[in-house]
Each structure stands twice: as C-alpha cells, then as structure tokens.
Amino acid sequence: MQSSTSATKAPEPGSSAESLPTPCRIIGVLDDGADSLSNTALQHLRDADLVIGGTRTLALLESYLKADAHLCDLSGKLSALPDKIRAAQAKNRNVVVLATGDPLCHGIAAYLQARLCVESCEVLPNVSTFQIACARAGIAWQNLEITSVHSKDAGEWRADADRTHGLYPVLHTAQQHMQLAIFTSPANSPDRIARMLQIAGLADQFRMTIAQQLLQPDEKVVHDIAVSDAAKLRFADPNIVLLWRNGAVPSPVSFGLPDDSFQQRKPEKGLITKREVRAVSLARLQLRRDSVLWDIGAGSGSVGLEAARLCPDGYVYAIEKNIDDTANAEQNRRDMQIHNYRVQHAKAPEGLDAWPSPDAVFVGGSGGNLAALIELILARLCEGGWLVMNFVTLENLSAATDALKALGAEWDVTQLQSSRSKAILHMHRLDAQNPVWIVCAKRASS
C-alpha cells in the first residue's frame, strides 16, 4: 500500500541547499536569562560550538553551554565578528550570537546580515526591552519613534555641537516626534540626554520615564518626571528612556517668513536677504529633505534658517565674518528652535575644509576672493548640486560670471527687482527695493 506522505527529496550534489552552511543563530535574550528563551532557542544554545555575546549575557547563560563550546566576548570586537563566524561556518560548526531583546531593533542582527548575507543567518527574536519598558509605564508603543545612543561615549552636548555629535540623533528625532523610546548606554545615560534637552531649550516640552534593570531583582521604573529633574539624577544601567511631549509637535511656517521675523542689524534697510529674493534663491537651490547646505555670508541667517526647516533630515553649515551678524543668526536659530543649523564666526573659506561636501551652496556675501571661493565651491559641490549667489553690485556680478566662464560651469543670471506697497496718508504707493542679481551655477555636465 502506497504511503500518503511524500518523501523529502534529497538535494542534488552541488545544489544551493547543500552548499549553504548551518545558519548563524542570532538569539534575543533578556536579563532573566534562560527564562526568556524558547525551547528551540535553548536547544540551539546547547548545540553551539561557538557562542558570541556581551560579557553579561554570556555569564547569564554559561551553565547552558556544552563543555567544549568556545566563548567569544564581542565587546569592542564587532568588526572582527563576520570573519570569525564565516571561519566557524566553513568548519561546519554551530554558531550562536546572543543579542539583547529583538536583535533587529537597533541590535546586532542587521549588521551581521549585511556582512554575512541574510541566508546565512537565522534570527530568533525576543520581546524588545523598550516593549517591556512601555508595559511597565502603561504606554502603547505603536506610535513611538525608536532611536538609540547605545554606542561609544558621545560626551556632553554643547551649544555649538553639530550632527556629528553622538547625541544628535536623539535631538533630531525629538524635534519632529511626539513620543520616543531611546536605547541608552552607560555613558550616554538618561541624565546626559536630559541635559542636552536643557541646552537645546526643549526641556519644558517633554516628560521622561526611565526603566532600569528590567527583569532583574533590582528593577525600578521612575515614572513621569521633569527633564530638569532627570538631568540631576543617576540611573542604574541598563536602562531605557521613554520621552514624550507635553503638547503637539510644533508646525511652524517653513518658507516665506516676513523679514521682521529675523533679528538683524539695521543700517538703512537692514542686512538681510529680503523675502522676495529669499524665495527665489531657495527655489533655485533645489533643496531636498536631507540636503546639506553651505550658507556663506550668512548675515542674519534668513536663507540658511529657512533652508534648515525645508531640510529637516539635512543640515545647514553657515559662516559669517561680522561678529554682530553672527550673534543675530545664532539668536534667530534659538528663537526659532532650529537644531539642524550651525553658524560660525569666520571669513570664508576659513574652516570650509572641515565641512561635509554640500548638496547646495548659497553665497550672500563673499568678503572678496570671489573667484577663488567659486572655484572651491564647485570643486566640493555634490553631483547635480547648485550654487546660488546674490549680488547687488555690478563689480561682483562681473567677477562671478567671469569666474564661472573660466571654470566652464553651467550658469544663468536672474535680475529681480520688487516693489512693496507703502502707506502715504490715506493712500498707498510702491516703494522700490534694491535690484538683486541671482547667479545660479553648477559644474558642467561631463
């Protein structure tokens, strides 16, 4: 009688099924150790020839390993792990990597998959520690934005820090979202995050809950405290921060602000790129959400600050030679609570070599050496990026176009002259603004 169950066909010699190594099992573990693991995960752990994990996690599960299993502490050795795993797989050894919680939520799994290939890894996830923190705090987590500073010591946040600082991802995320879950580290701790929010002027907009040593005997949750209070406390490691706003996420006007929105020096009509010229210049910069912009000759910061709002995932690096204008630009940044903008007091091109290559550049003032500055900008400008310059004198217009011709750049000039209505007795007349030449250029197509 024929069996109703089909036999599994053995793979042909040389087939992909035969050539694939035993997958590296990446297992999520919680701080209650083996109690957090399924029977399947525990069996993989008992069969493992090579077990990789952090010091604390290895200690939690050491009694479940076979006697001849080789243990590898991954602390500080992350870059060496892919080669170590490949070598073990080539010898048909069973490899287990122990991660915290869900290895695909700010964990090690994505790093290893990208370097070993997805097919050579098998992820056995656990509940994420941020989910446990939310459960303890009674907060539904589906709307949380998750970010992490679980990395090397970033140092304390400074008022002049930019997006290269290790705490910037938290500040950037907090600026745009209602609720956050933040994976911390011993150095990048909840109190350090709280002090950053204070320096950024955001402390009064948020509340914090800190869940410490989850699933351990000394577990403690500090509920719903002020950021200013958290800044003065120390919390047991490991911990998770839950951060939420007191009110709605601000939704300010991002384009076309009135000139008097900006603090500015006011000899005559004010040292500011007027709204009409600003609007055309920003349009010609062809900005994207994640663009990096250089703002050279920032003045009051009007162009760069509006650009920062148009590029919430990008960054604006500004430079201004006049100390009073630099102070005004910084004050405007603080008043508008814009954090993806930094202005420095210097004369271009000083310091530009330290900036990342730009997607767009705005020049509102050159301070001389215009030809050399244009050459430097076009050399650094990212592929397809635009240089936009504003001039009010014939001499600077001529110098700029001559430099662009000599460099073989693609360029065009727009003359813009606007008039604004102005009251005169019970009537209105038009008050002419100074004409401005807007020079736009990019590298010639190859």
Side-chain angles (χ1 to χ4, degrees):
M1 182 173 164
Q2 187 177 16
S3 171
S4 60
T5 304
S6 300
T8 302
K9 184 180 179 181
E12 296 293 332
S15 69
S16 59
E18 183 183 63
S19 60
L20 280 176
T22 301
C24 167
R25 271 76 186 222
I26 306 171
I27 299 175
V29 181
L30 299 174
D31 278 335
D32 54 354
D35 289 344
S36 69
L37 298 182
S38 67
N39 290 333
T40 300
L42 276 172
Q43 191 57 54
H44 287 314
L45 191 61
R46 293 187 179 105
D47 293 340
D49 302 301
L50 170 62
V51 182
I52 300 168
T55 305
R56 184 165 50 89
T57 309
L58 289 172
L60 277 173
L61 296 167
E62 189 171 6
S63 62
Y64 292 84
L65 308 180
K66 61 184 183 180
D68 60 346
H70 178 67
L71 274 60
C72 176
D73 192 325
L74 61 76
S75 304
K77 302 173 184 176
L78 191 60
S79 62
L81 290 188
D83 287 341
K84 183 179 286 290
I85 293 169
R86 282 193 205 94
Q89 288 179 318
K91 297 176 181 177
N92 294 317
R93 291 178 177 170
N94 294 320
V95 182
V96 164
V97 176
L98 300 175
T100 301
D102 184 348
L104 284 167
C105 183
H106 288 276
I108 196 174
Y111 176 87
L112 293 178
Q113 287 177 332
R115 289 154 181 82
L116 296 172
C117 89
V118 173
E119 291 80 5
S120 67
C121 299
E122 179 184 353
V123 179
L124 286 77
N126 213 315
V127 177
S128 175
T129 49
F130 92 82
Q131 291 175 274
I132 300 173
C134 287
R136 300 290 192 266
I139 296 174
W141 62 264
Q142 66 266 20
N143 295 320
L144 285 175
E145 191 70 18
I146 306 165
T147 189
S148 175
V149 288
H150 188 74
S151 57
K152 65 180 182 180
D153 188 343
E156 291 287 325
W157 182 261
R158 308 178 312 276
D160 63 346
D162 66 10
R163 67 175 184 166
T164 61
H165 194 285
L167 296 183
Y168 181 77
V170 173
L171 181 61
H172 173 252
T173 306
Q175 190 178 12
Q176 302 181 60
H177 295 278
M178 280 292 297
Q179 299 174 310
L180 286 75
I182 306 168
F183 290 98
T184 63
S185 68
N188 301 325
S189 52
D191 54 303
R192 176 176 282 183
I193 293 168
R195 288 191 292 274
M196 177 191 67
L197 293 172
Q198 286 182 311
I199 294 169
L202 297 176
D204 293 340
Q205 297 181 26
F206 289 92
R207 304 283 294 179
M208 298 178 80
T209 285
I210 299 93
Q212 310 167 73
Q213 298 183 313
L214 291 170
L215 301 178
Q216 297 183 47
D218 294 327
E219 176 183 307
K220 181 180 179 182
V221 180
V222 181
H223 291 276
D224 190 14
I225 64 171
V227 170
S228 57
D229 291 336
K232 296 177 286 189
L233 300 174
R234 292 295 297 170
F235 300 92
D237 190 69
N239 56 66
I240 294 281
V241 171
L242 303 178
L243 186 68
W244 66 93
R245 285 183 175 272
N246 296 318
V249 178
S251 181
V253 171
S254 57
F255 181 74
L257 292 171
D259 296 344
D260 59 11
S261 300
F262 301 91
Q263 182 171 299
Q264 57 194 277
R265 281 195 301 140
K266 291 194 172 182
E268 299 178 1
K269 297 182 180 179
L271 294 175
I272 188 172
T273 301
K274 302 295 192 294
R275 177 163 54 183
E276 297 83 356
V277 177
R278 196 185 327 137
V280 175
S281 297
L282 286 166
R284 291 303 307 270
L285 285 165
Q286 297 287 282
L287 298 172
R288 295 178 173 84
R289 184 177 177 86
D290 59 353
S291 291
V292 172
L293 173 73
W294 290 3
D295 182 8
I296 297 175
S300 62
S302 62
V303 172
L305 289 166
E306 283 203 5
R309 281 186 170 169
L310 294 170
C311 308
D313 295 332
Y315 207 87
V316 176
Y317 294 87
I319 187 169
E320 171 55 49
K321 66 177 182 177
N322 182 281
I323 186 65
D324 294 329
D325 285 331
T326 305
N328 284 334
E330 175 58 21
Q331 185 61 52
N332 288 327
R333 183 200 67 77
R334 288 197 296 267
D335 291 345
M336 295 178 179
Q337 292 197 339
I338 293 173
H339 303 290
N340 57 329
Y341 174 98
R342 187 187 74 182
V343 62
Q344 66 184 59
H345 174 232
K347 180 178 178 180
E350 181 185 340
L352 300 190
D353 57 341
W355 290 0
S357 294
D359 300 298
V361 179
F362 176 75
V363 175
S366 67
N369 299 320
L370 186 57
L373 184 60
I374 290 172
E375 182 176 10
L376 182 153
I377 291 169
L378 291 182
R380 293 285 307 278
L381 200 58
C382 293
E383 186 69 28
W386 281 94
L387 162 63
V388 175
M389 299 175 282
N390 287 180
F391 300 114
V392 295
T393 68
L394 289 165
E395 289 78 8
N396 278 342
L397 173 65
S398 177
T401 53
D402 286 347
L404 293 170
K405 290 175 188 176
L407 293 167
E410 296 181 16
W411 59 275
D412 63 81
V413 179
T414 299
Q415 185 191 52
L416 188 64
Q417 184 170 16
S418 62
S419 298
R420 297 178 178 178
S421 62
K422 184 175 183 179
I424 177 171
L425 299 177
H426 61 285
M427 296 176 286
H428 291 80
R429 67 176 178 85
L430 287 177
D431 186 30
Q433 305 295 302
N434 287 331
V436 177
W437 287 285
I438 302 175
V439 181
C440 305
K442 62 180 180 178
R443 288 199 301 268
S445 302
S446 55

